[in-house]
Amino acid sequence: MNFESITQMAKATKSPEKSPKLEKPQSELRATLEQRLKSLKPTLQDGIKEYEQALENDVFDDAPGEPEGTGEKRKEDMQRKLTDMADRAEKIKNTLDSDKPLPQSTPEISTTYTRPDGKSETISLDIESKLTDFLSFYKKTNIDLPPDFEDTIRDIWERNQSEIEQVIQKNGFDDILLIPGNIPLADIAEKLKMENGNFTGSNFDDGGGFAGAVSQNTDKPRIILFHKKTLPEVQAETGLDVHLNITAGEALKLFNKNPDEHMTLNDFIIMERKVFEESGVHISDWNKKSAQWLNTKSGARLVCAYGDPTDAGLGVDAFVDEYHYDNLGLRPSRCFF
């Protein structure tokens, strides 16, 4: 068989190129943005009513036993949130009034992931639905979000939407975390406690506990793609290596090589509590080989964490480079800033 015949056969068997993604018409993009503007109106009105009621009830006065100025701070915080919301509405209105074409990013990604065994599944993620969900979650757990959290998350989504879709197609990530920046780890650990609280090992405590743990990029708001499954399930369904029985030193090398592909202790606590509230399941169950190394240091040691249904809580510890255990691995993920 000559070279020309071989090349012709290769072309004939080559997978067809993916057709370019069709752009949505400006009229549809405009309608979506107009709907977002309309949805802000009742929220803003409710916020104004809440502020007026607080004025009537003297909520902005210092309560007995409170430090001086506490009531004024409550007032300033509520005013800031109302101002930020009004600014957001004005920004959307200005965009609609402008003659500039609207961007093509959309709230929803729906794509097909094909497993190594050939089975396919459709994975859909809607950033607006997830934002509503996480705003409710953080409000319930008393996490004080920065006023620009929603806009920042939308901006991350819009800038990275194409790559997010590609990563889902490649790795089968089926859920996302929306994480605020600059929330102290000790605050997250306290407010997002599991059923019976947090259990910490002596090594982690010796490194300063939650207040002393150190992670990269936790000052930045972020969207994290992950699998809402145990580690063995992730490996069985996707073929991705979850690195069970890897040493702390080997895990650290992987963290340093690809820091955007691994979670911190901050991310882990939010993931574990959020998934547990939704399903009643600890996806990081130690008994199911799903404890995980995290891109967080406690002194000179690397941190690991796990969900513990037996003791109904969350466990955290830290170990030297040589330590490993067959129930302990790495959870595949992808972080966008």
Side-chain angles (χ1 to χ4, degrees), residues 34-46:
E34 287 174 345
Q35 186 58 43
R36 187 188 300 177
L37 180 59
K38 289 179 181 178
S39 69
L40 284 175
K41 185 177 180 180
T43 306
L44 184 57
Q45 289 174 336
D46 289 344

Side-chain angles (χ1 to χ4, degrees), residues 81 135 137-146 180 183-184 187-192 270:
K81 289 180 180 179
L135 289 173
F137 171 70
Y138 288 130
K139 182 177 181 179
K140 177 182 178 181
T141 53
N142 297 312
I143 296 293
D144 189 17
L145 296 172
I183 307 295
D187 200 24
I188 292 174
E190 176 63 28
K191 292 180 178 180
L192 273 63
I270 292 172

Side-chain angles (χ1 to χ4, degrees), residues 34-250:
E34 287 174 345
Q35 186 58 43
R36 187 188 300 177
L37 180 59
K38 289 179 181 178
S39 69
L40 284 175
K41 185 177 180 180
T43 306
L44 184 57
Q45 289 174 336
D46 289 344
I48 293 172
K49 288 180 181 178
E50 183 182 359
Y51 179 80
E52 292 173 344
Q53 191 65 48
L55 282 173
E56 291 181 13
N57 296 339
D58 298 325
V59 172
F60 301 136
D61 294 340
D62 294 340
E66 286 186 334
E68 184 178 352
T70 301
E72 183 63 26
K73 185 178 184 303
R74 280 195 293 270
K75 183 178 181 180
E76 291 174 355
D77 288 343
M78 192 173 289
Q79 287 176 337
R80 185 182 69 252
K81 289 180 180 179
L82 288 173
T83 300
D84 289 336
M85 200 179 305
D87 289 344
R88 188 157 64 248
E90 184 178 2
K91 182 179 179 181
I92 294 175
K93 185 178 183 303
N94 289 339
T95 301
L96 288 169
D97 291 342
S98 171
D99 293 332
K100 295 180 180 178
L102 298 179
Q104 285 292 320
S105 61
T106 60
E108 183 180 14
I109 285 176
S110 185
T111 189
T112 300
Y113 168 67
T114 303
R115 299 178 181 180
D117 62 6
K119 294 181 179 178
S120 296
E121 60 180 301
T122 299
I123 298 174
S124 298
L125 296 173
D126 188 307
I127 193 62
E128 293 301 327
S129 175
K130 284 293 180 180
L131 261 175
T132 299
D133 187 25
F134 270 88
L135 289 173
S136 175
F137 171 70
Y138 288 130
K139 182 177 181 179
K140 177 182 178 181
T141 53
N142 297 312
I143 296 293
D144 189 17
L145 296 172
D148 61 349
F149 177 67
E150 293 178 68
D151 284 342
T152 303
I153 290 296
R154 288 191 182 99
D155 176 63
I156 295 171
W157 178 267
E158 290 170 0
R159 286 187 289 102
N160 296 283
Q161 187 169 10
S162 177
E163 187 175 358
I164 289 173
E165 183 172 353
Q166 292 171 11
V167 172
I168 292 173
Q169 287 176 340
K170 180 181 178 181
N171 296 317
F173 294 117
D174 58 6
D175 209 346
I176 57 176
L177 302 172
L178 308 183
I179 313 288
N182 283 324
I183 307 295
L185 176 58
D187 200 24
I188 292 174
E190 176 63 28
K191 292 180 178 180
L192 273 63
K193 281 182 179 178
M194 303 300 288
E195 312 101 301
N196 285 344
N198 301 315
F199 308 102
T200 57
S202 58
N203 289 338
F204 183 71
D205 294 337
D206 289 345
F210 293 108
V214 177
S215 306
Q216 295 180 4
N217 294 322
T218 53
D219 59 321
K220 301 175 183 177
R222 51 209 181 273
I223 294 176
I224 301 178
L225 298 173
F226 75 106
H227 303 92
K228 198 159 59 174
K229 303 175 177 73
T230 64
L231 295 187
E233 287 172 338
V234 172
Q235 184 158 309
E237 294 180 16
T238 68
L240 296 174
D241 192 353
V242 297
H243 300 283
L244 290 173
N245 208 29
I246 194 173
T247 68
E250 290 168 337

